[in-house]
Amino acid sequence: SVCLTAQAASICNVIRNSLSQLSINANFSRLPRVSPQLARVNEVLKIDLSSLVQKGYAAFNDTPELVLNQTKNILSDIKNVLEAIGSNISAFTKTLPVQKILADFSTYLTQSETYVEDYFPLVEQYDFYRWLCCLLLCCMVILILVFYYLGLLCGTCGFDKNATPTTRGC
């Protein structure tokens, strides 16, 4: 098809004329032997792949039945363990007087509440004193900071480069 065009026709004729000069001079005796690889390929060809696929399908289809058979004993064991836990909880609640403990705890809470209510006016009175003490403490801290910054300001304003350490501040 390409050789039918005018430009390619001359090139195609040259190639056709030179085809008779081609000869095969390959020396295949120098190539390594491939008989072990051919034997392995023949072994693979002898394997019945369809039976292997059928075994795979059978194993896949038998999986639900296999799971049921293997988990029958586990389910009964789990039920027995859960029943034992339930009976242990029932026995523990019978030996531990839950109602008495709850009654004692509620009595303790009631007594604590009455104690707090009795001393609440006194706590309110001392709350005012606490507030005054905190205010006084804050004022003292502010006074200390004011004196500190005044000292720094006086030190920098009164600095004289020519004064000796013994004559400074005089």
Side-chain angles (χ1 to χ4, degrees), residues 84-124:
I85 290 173
S87 63
N88 286 342
I89 291 173
S90 299
F92 182 71
T93 55
K94 288 177 183 175
T95 59
L96 184 68
V98 176
Q99 293 296 333
K100 183 180 180 299
I101 291 173
L102 288 176
D104 291 344
F105 185 68
S106 65
T107 304
Y108 172 73
L109 285 178
T110 306
Q111 289 174 351
S112 300
E113 183 181 2
T114 56
Y115 179 78
V116 168
E117 286 175 357
D118 290 343
Y119 286 98
F120 188 71
L122 185 63
V123 170
E124 262 187 346

